[in-house]
Amino acid sequence: QLAFAKAGKPDPTDDKSPIRRACLSIIEAYQEGTDFNIRMDPRDSLISAGDIGTQLTWMDAKRDGVVFTPRHGKPVEINALWFSGLQLVADMIDADRPNSARQFRQIAQRAGQSLRESFWNAGAGCLYDVLTPGPGGWTPNSQIRPNQIFACSLPYSALDQQQAESVLRVVTQKLLTPRGLRTLSPDDPHYVGRFEGPLFRRDGAYHNGTVWPWLIGPYAEATLRIGKFSNRAKADAVSALRPLLEMIAPGEGGGPGLGQIPEIYDGDDSAEKP
């Protein structure tokens, strides 16, 4: 609080702060339910959102009425963010609103337990991508996608150390490239390795194999947190980041130094067709 005062900035722990008000408002709206069927399920404290015709997560490609990556229901990254966000807000208001802070931590505890139980794919050693609603309950989607990395990269994780290490290992083996993370494992029959052709075809590839550089951020952070910020973990994180950094400015490897990073790369790469 003193640091914010010295800097002449509003203290985010003050109710007058727009940041704090926004955080509290979001939690309240998610508990009560808001637009697009976004709401907290009172049975497990997880967040569900959308329906078969809406695309509410960042994997939002839709063309001519076709939803290319249906993720309505309970997406893994949204619930990882919910779990961590509840506890971060609880930390922020602990001093002057202890009852609310305690309530948020109780919700987070229940959501964390539900995430571990409902999202854990024991056979694959990683997390399901989304839980989809249906007549018989919630059906897990076992496609290996990068969204699960947020369950390891955030300040608070619902996973135990062994689970987090397993998630990172699967993401590294199946999704990591020198330019970012693939949006779908190449082992999946729906994988599209090239972002090319007519617009409809490109939209179909957008989140079904195409590599997104921005995902290297949470991947590097997950590497650091799981590795307890050891020298080895730092070296691994830097190694993951280096190819993209060389896209901005050439390093010793003599990268192209374009001064910017492309939005996407192809999931498939070869010397003949990079």
Side-chain angles (χ1 to χ4, degrees):
Q1 291 174 330
L2 182 60
F4 277 99
K6 288 182 176 179
K9 298 179 180 179
D11 176 8
T13 65
D14 188 335
D15 271 334
K16 297 179 181 179
S17 161
I19 295 175
R20 172 164 161 156
R21 288 200 306 271
C23 291
L24 295 173
S25 176
I26 289 167
I27 291 174
E28 181 181 2
Y30 275 32
Q31 288 178 285
E32 295 180 355
T34 184
D35 295 345
F36 304 107
N37 296 320
I38 299 171
R39 62 182 177 83
M40 184 187 78
D41 187 335
R43 294 166 294 185
D44 58 13
S45 295
L46 295 175
I47 299 298
S48 65
D51 56 41
I52 197 168
T54 55
Q55 290 284 70
L56 299 185
T57 73
W58 78 279
M59 289 187 168
D60 59 353
K62 182 178 179 180
R63 177 71 52 186
D64 299 333
V66 177
V67 174
F68 292 104
T69 48
R71 302 189 71 237
H72 63 286
K74 297 175 180 178
V76 65
E77 79 280 17
I78 299 301
N79 282 289
L81 288 159
W82 173 242
F83 173 80
S84 186
L86 282 167
Q87 298 189 82
L88 289 170
V89 174
D91 292 344
M92 182 171 66
I93 66 173
D94 221 352
D96 62 323
R97 294 185 61 171
N99 291 336
S100 295
R102 183 168 56 253
Q103 179 192 20
F104 292 166
R105 291 192 177 101
Q106 289 171 348
I107 297 171
Q109 183 179 13
R110 176 61 176 143
Q113 179 183 346
S114 300
L115 193 152
R116 286 189 300 274
E117 294 175 352
S118 300
F119 280 93
W120 184 247
N121 182 346
C126 61
L127 296 173
Y128 293 118
D129 185 59
V130 63
L131 306 180
T132 306
W138 297 88
T139 301
N141 183 313
S142 59
Q143 290 182 306
I144 296 177
R145 294 188 180 275
N147 305 301
Q148 61 187 302
I149 200 67
F150 286 91
C152 308
S153 67
L154 297 166
Y156 286 96
S157 172
L159 305 182
D160 61 34
Q161 181 70 16
Q162 186 175 2
Q163 287 176 315
E165 290 174 357
S166 185
V167 166
L168 182 62
R169 183 164 53 250
V170 170
V171 170
T172 301
Q173 292 172 350
K174 302 294 185 180
L175 305 178
L176 180 64
T177 77
R179 306 300 187 195
L181 299 185
R182 294 186 182 95
T183 41
L184 185 63
S185 168
D187 299 335
D188 194 288
H190 297 96
Y191 174 78
V192 183
R194 291 283 172 182
F195 184 83
E196 60 188 10
L199 183 58
F200 188 87
R201 182 179 173 188
R202 280 180 281 141
D203 279 346
Y206 216 25
H207 304 111
N208 285 312
T210 299
V211 172
W212 289 71
W214 77 270
L215 291 166
I216 209 68
Y219 176 85
E221 192 163 1
T223 299
L224 292 170
R225 293 189 187 280
I226 292 169
K228 311 297 185 186
F229 291 87
S230 66
N231 289 335
R232 172 63 185 274
K234 292 176 182 178
D236 288 345
V238 169
S239 178
L241 291 166
R242 183 172 289 113
L244 288 172
L245 295 176
E246 290 178 352
M247 286 295 300
I248 300 172
E252 295 179 1
L258 298 177
Q260 57 185 329
I261 296 172
E263 180 190 43
I264 54 173
Y265 285 91
D266 289 323
D268 290 343
D269 186 26
S270 67
E272 297 76 23
K273 197 174 183 183

